[in-house]
Structures are given as C-alpha cells and as structure tokens.
C-alpha cells in the first residue's frame, strides 16, 4: 500500500506539471491514465466515486 500511494503522488505531481505547462502530449496523457488506474486501487477510490456520482446527479437535475 505504501508503494501504491507514493506512485500515486508521483503521477499526480507529474500530471499537474504537464497541465500547468499547457503541453499535454500523448505521453503525458498516458501518465494521467496511469494515475487514474493507480488511484482507483487506493482507499480514496470510494470517496472519489461518490463525489463524481453526486456531481453528475446535480448536473443531470439542472434544467436549461
């Protein structure tokens, strides 16, 4: 678990750097995808899932 969290933090830092430099290339997108896969195996996954579900429910309930 400790190795997984450190990999998640490293990939998160890399993704933030890539996005801030406005130079998101294919290799950078792969790093972001790897971050997502590693993040889904951490203990934060249920919290992220419930937050995204609540956000989509809120957006779908809005009327134009």
């Amino acid at each position: 678990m400790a190795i997984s969290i450190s990999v998640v933090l490293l990939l998160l830092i890399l993704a933030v750097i890539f996005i801030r430099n406005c130079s998101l290339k294919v290799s950078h997108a792969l790093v972001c995808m790897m971050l997502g896969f590693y993040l889904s195996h951490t203990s934060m996954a249920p919290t992220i899932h419930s937050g995204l579900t609540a956000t989509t429910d809120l957006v779908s309930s809005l009327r134009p």
Side-chain angles (χ1 to χ4, degrees):
M1 184 65 168
I3 293 173
S4 177
I5 291 174
S6 64
V7 170
V8 168
L9 290 176
L10 173 67
L11 291 173
L12 178 64
I13 290 169
L14 288 174
V16 168
I17 289 171
F18 293 149
I19 290 171
R20 284 187 161 226
N21 288 337
C22 297
S23 61
L24 192 64
K25 298 178 184 175
V26 175
S27 61
H28 303 151
L30 290 175
V31 169
C32 292
M33 285 185 353
M34 287 174 38
L35 171 64
F37 286 121
Y38 277 110
L39 196 57
S40 69
H41 294 290
T42 63
S43 60
M44 296 186 315
T47 305
I48 293 170
H49 179 70
S50 64
L52 288 175
T53 302
T55 303
T56 55
D57 289 343
L58 178 70
V59 170
S60 66
S61 68
L62 295 175
R63 301 285 177 208

